[in-house]
Amino acid sequence: MASAVTPKSDAAPQSAAAPSPFPPIAEYAFLSDCHTGALVSPDGAIDWLCVPSFDAPSVFGMLLDREAGFFRLGPFGINVPSSREYEPGTNTLVTTWHVPGGWLVVRDALTMGPRRHEDTITPHTRPPTDDDAEHLLVRTVECIEGSAEVELVCEPAFDYGRVPAEWTLSGEDRHQADATGAGVTLRLRTDMALGIEGDRIRARHVLAAGERVFCSLSWAAELESPVDGDDAHARLETTQNFWRKWLERARIPDHRWRPYLQRSALAIKGLTYMPTGATVAASTTSLPETPGGERNWDYRFTWIRDSTFTLQALHWLNLDWEADEFMQFIGDLACNEDGSLQIMYGIDGRRDLTETTRDELSGYAGARPVRIGNGAFDQRQNDVFGAALDSILLHTRRSERLPRRLWPIVEAQAEGATRVWREPDQGIWEARGAPQHYVSSKLMCWVAMDRAAKLAEIRGDPDLRTRWQATADEIKADILEHGVTTDGVLRQHYETDALDASTLLAVLFGFLPADDPRLHASVMAIAHDLTEKGFVLRYRTGETDDGLAGKEGTFLICSYWLVSALSMIGEAQQARDLMERLLRVASPLALYAEEFDADTGRHLGNFPQAFSHLALVQAAAQIILTERIAELR
């Protein structure tokens, strides 16, 4: 009798490149109006859009389930475009299609325009700027040669796919229709004739060379929409001008990496929630870190640990307005009862981010569960104190003033770090296993006390400076006694010799002098022993109790941290080599997810990821600075 054969699907983990109806994560384009974001698949479909804000329920959720709603505009019967690119210096997408008999160009944007009235859709807590979101998705398609048949299909599925749309046509010309569900109403307007097919609406039209049509989707007040094609085209041009004028303010050096820095700046700005100044970690939820696995998280929130990296990147890019807006958002946050900040908040400042699952959704390529909210919001993570205080010190030095409203936060975070630095926590990676004495958490408590002492000196309080500096010195001594292996390498936590990429922060935050042999040994150990094909892992999942199953990809932010660290310890060529490898694995549109699967070359995790782009800016800045200094010698 032949022995039973175990199917391959049971014998091996799912490949990130396994055949799937879901497009590769890195092939999505990102649109933004600084209130919400949309992801556009290569076939021209909007597969992800939440309205009116990044963290609202999706109206198009095909990213997470192929029946959870989409909105396609493109040639009928052709799904693979000839090219996709952003209009230079913008977040406006241009897709070119070659079809039998003709060529088409589609332009997509979440539009920006002059501020005309108070925004009642997503009210501002920060002073409004001259330009703001129009709460509109505008799409145009133009035939540039020959002729081609264009198809529009709009199929919203409200509340993460739970509620199909109810459509009603308005007017006799069949050019406008409203979709309603789960308390949300969207208005579709176009110069093509519309027809309702169940819970979707559709239009088809043959374009000849030189002809152009438009469509728009509105969730604005009174469902304001373009009145005609010329109006739609003008709104796209206004949006392009907004992004280009904004980018003109950024300081981006004339360097070979300039295009990547520009795209990262545009992505970071696109992930900024203009009404409050918060930066969302990513525009999506539940894109998997493990193909087909359970490492799926909701990243549509703002993490305090990101604050220092956000401030560093924004100030280096000379984007001081955005830096100040983010700092004011931090100043508005409600603290815990002990005065400490949570590790993350809603982009509107809310504290309760209770996690639920949407079990009816298939998940991206079968990765389940799909999570809404993030259960880590009430974890104990002692690194939060250092991130907050480093960002305040950085902002204080840049602005040359210490705002009175921030001093209570300084005192509360310093006292909080003093109180908890000896205690175990979940660590920077929000491990869902048992608490440990993570070295990176101790390190960030040292950062908290070191920066607090410097802020006390700026404020003119020598007694506080002395007391807080003494605590910083005590923490440093404890780390050097318990957090270093016999080989002189910083360990993940006090009970293991395992490596952790978060210890690279010891270099980035100046824990020891750059020529300290323990720093050099730690950086080189990570470079040699915590990498896959040259890209850095957070940690080895088999060596870490993170409460989850499955392997994860390499973390792009950790690889960029390694670039910065190598440059800072004098390993300039290794830093440049790794930087070039990282730039080569950017998405076709120069965007990054959270992780990179070194075996298949696929991106993993939520997309686009602010942390990855912030770290790219920091790494590039470090190398460019080193090169410029070398030029002066």
Side-chain angles (χ1 to χ4, degrees):
M1 180 182 295
S3 61
V5 177
T6 302
K8 286 186 178 181
S9 60
D10 295 335
Q14 180 176 316
S15 169
S20 170
F22 291 82
I25 291 169
E27 291 189 8
Y28 278 98
F30 171 58
L31 309 178
S32 172
D33 61 4
C34 300
H35 289 238
T36 190
L39 293 188
V40 189
S41 71
D43 71 355
I46 305 289
D47 279 1
W48 183 252
L49 175 64
C50 303
V51 299
S53 59
F54 288 106
D55 57 352
S58 67
V59 296
F60 303 126
M62 204 170 180
L63 180 71
L64 298 177
D65 189 299
R66 303 317 278 173
E67 296 183 351
F70 73 102
F71 178 18
R72 182 176 188 269
L73 178 67
F76 177 74
I78 302 292
N79 291 317
V80 180
S82 297
S83 70
R84 302 168 81 222
E85 59 187 358
Y86 286 110
E87 290 277 8
T90 79
N91 281 317
T92 299
L93 180 67
V94 180
T95 306
T96 302
W97 299 85
H98 180 213
V99 301
W103 288 81
L104 295 173
V105 176
V106 177
R107 286 178 168 82
D108 296 318
L110 290 166
T111 59
M112 309 289 293
R115 181 175 177 269
R116 298 184 179 90
H117 47 70
E118 189 67 24
D119 188 344
T120 59
I121 304 300
T122 45
H124 287 250
T125 60
R126 302 268 76 78
T129 57
D130 295 335
D131 301 284
D132 204 352
E134 294 187 319
H135 305 298
L136 271 173
L137 170 66
V138 176
R139 319 185 76 180
T140 65
V141 55
E142 181 179 4
C143 182
I144 59 174
E145 185 175 315
S147 64
E149 186 174 26
V150 175
E151 179 185 50
L152 178 157
V153 182
C154 187
E155 187 178 312
F158 299 96
D159 193 17
Y160 303 105
R162 287 177 168 176
V163 181
E166 294 185 7
W167 285 98
T168 54
L169 282 168
S170 56
E172 297 180 359
D173 56 6
R174 303 177 71 87
H175 292 323
Q176 180 172 293
D178 292 349
T180 303
V184 177
T185 298
L186 304 172
R187 174 161 293 169
L188 177 68
R189 184 163 179 80
T190 179
D191 44 13
M192 294 185 283
L194 295 166
I196 298 173
E197 298 177 342
D199 53 11
R200 71 176 186 170
I201 203 160
R202 199 155 76 98
R204 289 172 68 178
H205 180 66
V206 176
L207 284 178
E211 292 182 336
R212 182 175 64 206
V213 293
F214 87 97
C215 63
S216 67
L217 196 70
S218 173
W219 51 98
E222 309 299 327
L223 299 178
E224 179 187 352
S225 302
V227 296
D228 55 27
D230 289 340
D231 187 12
H233 182 69
R235 290 173 189 261
L236 288 179
E237 288 196 328
T238 300
T239 302
Q240 291 173 23
N241 291 335
F242 164 82
W243 287 113
R244 286 173 177 158
K245 288 179 180 178
W246 176 84
L247 192 61
E248 286 175 3
R249 292 173 34 220
R251 176 184 58 196
I252 299 178
D254 185 22
H255 189 273
R256 62 190 179 278
W257 298 333
R258 182 179 176 89
Y260 296 95
L261 288 167
Q262 287 182 330
R263 182 49 51 195
S264 288
L266 287 162
I268 293 165
K269 176 65 172 177
L271 291 167
T272 299
Y273 185 59
M274 188 181 287
T276 65
T279 300
V280 66
S283 66
T284 59
T285 179
S286 299
L287 290 181
E289 298 173 10
T290 301
E294 63 176 333
R295 296 173 183 267
N296 319 314
W297 317 110
D298 193 344
Y299 273 16
R300 298 170 298 158
F301 309 114
T302 189
W303 268 254
I304 297 302
R305 81 162 57 91
D306 293 7
S307 61
T308 185
F309 301 102
T310 302
L311 267 291
Q312 287 173 1
L314 291 175
H315 281 313
W316 187 79
L317 292 167
N318 209 39
L319 298 172
D320 295 336
W321 175 274
E322 284 74 17
D324 185 69
E325 292 284 276
F326 186 80
M327 208 66 250
Q328 299 309 320
F329 169 75
I330 298 294
D332 286 343
L333 293 175
C335 295
N336 296 324
E337 291 182 2
D338 62 0
S340 64
L341 293 168
Q342 288 186 177
I343 67 167
M344 71 179 86
Y345 289 82
I347 53 176
D348 58 357
R350 72 186 185 279
R351 297 174 61 190
D352 186 357
L353 307 179
T354 300
E355 184 177 297
T356 60
T357 62
R358 294 290 188 269
D359 296 332
E360 69 276 10
L361 297 177
S362 71
Y364 175 88
R368 302 176 70 186
V370 171
R371 291 182 168 93
I372 307 300
N374 197 307
F377 79 94
D378 59 357
Q379 281 187 357
R380 175 182 293 279
Q381 293 179 26
N382 296 340
D383 66 304
V384 68
F385 304 106
L389 292 184
D390 187 77
S391 62
I392 291 174
L393 177 63
L394 178 65
H395 188 64
T396 297
R397 285 174 167 171
R398 184 59 178 254
S399 64
E400 297 183 345
R401 60 179 60 87
L402 176 58
R404 181 187 298 270
R405 69 194 301 257
L406 293 181
W407 182 250
I409 296 178
V410 173
E411 289 186 299
Q413 303 320 296
E415 295 306 321
T418 300
R419 186 171 56 251
V420 307
W421 75 264
R422 296 180 180 84
E423 300 176 8
D425 72 341
Q426 306 304 135
I428 188 174
W429 306 126
E430 299 163 9
R432 300 198 176 191
Q436 300 287 350
H437 290 279
Y438 287 99
V439 167
S440 62
S441 296
K442 309 288 186 188
L443 168 69
M444 293 307 291
C445 284
W446 171 82
V447 170
M449 302 313 298
D450 178 78
R451 278 38 171 188
K454 291 178 171 64
L455 286 163
E457 185 173 19
I458 290 171
R459 192 171 186 262
D461 193 329
D463 292 339
L464 265 184
R465 182 203 177 281
T466 300
R467 176 156 65 88
W468 286 347
Q469 187 59 55
T471 304
D473 295 341
E474 186 180 1
I475 298 171
K476 175 180 283 191
D478 190 77
I479 294 171
L480 295 178
E481 180 180 355
H482 302 290
V484 181
T485 70
T486 55
D487 295 328
V489 173
L490 290 168
R491 48 169 53 108
Q492 182 186 59
H493 61 76
Y494 285 3
E495 303 302 321
T496 182
D497 282 348
L499 295 171
D500 193 304
S502 64
T503 59
L504 291 169
L505 297 176
V507 186
L508 275 57
F509 286 106
F511 178 67
L512 292 169
D515 59 356
D516 189 286
R518 290 164 293 191
L519 277 191
H520 192 276
S522 298
V523 173
M524 301 313 292
I526 289 170
H528 294 149
D529 301 326
L530 197 60
T531 57
E532 287 187 351
K533 296 180 172 61
F535 299 97
V536 183
L537 297 162
R538 292 193 299 179
Y539 48 76
R540 300 281 180 188
T541 54
E543 298 175 345
T544 301
D545 176 20
D546 61 10
L548 297 166
K551 180 179 177 292
E552 62 184 19
T554 64
F555 259 62
L556 290 162
I557 184 174
C558 297
S559 294
Y560 278 117
W561 283 351
L562 181 57
V563 170
S564 296
L566 286 167
S567 181
M568 295 172 77
I569 66 170
E571 300 290 346
Q573 192 57 53
Q574 287 194 51
R576 282 191 290 266
D577 290 348
L578 179 54
M579 186 74 181
E580 294 287 354
R581 286 201 303 274
L582 285 163
L583 296 179
R584 284 198 300 271
V585 304
S587 83
L589 292 168
L591 297 172
Y592 289 89
E594 184 176 30
E595 300 182 22
F596 179 72
D597 185 72
D599 290 330
T600 63
R602 294 293 183 97
H603 286 225
L604 295 170
N606 286 305
F607 181 85
Q609 179 78 208
F611 225 162
S612 299
H613 287 279
L614 293 167
L616 182 158
V617 171
Q618 183 182 36
Q622 184 61 48
I623 292 179
I624 292 171
L625 176 63
T626 301
E627 291 177 350
R628 295 293 186 261
I629 292 173
E631 291 172 1
L632 299 175
R633 292 176 179 171

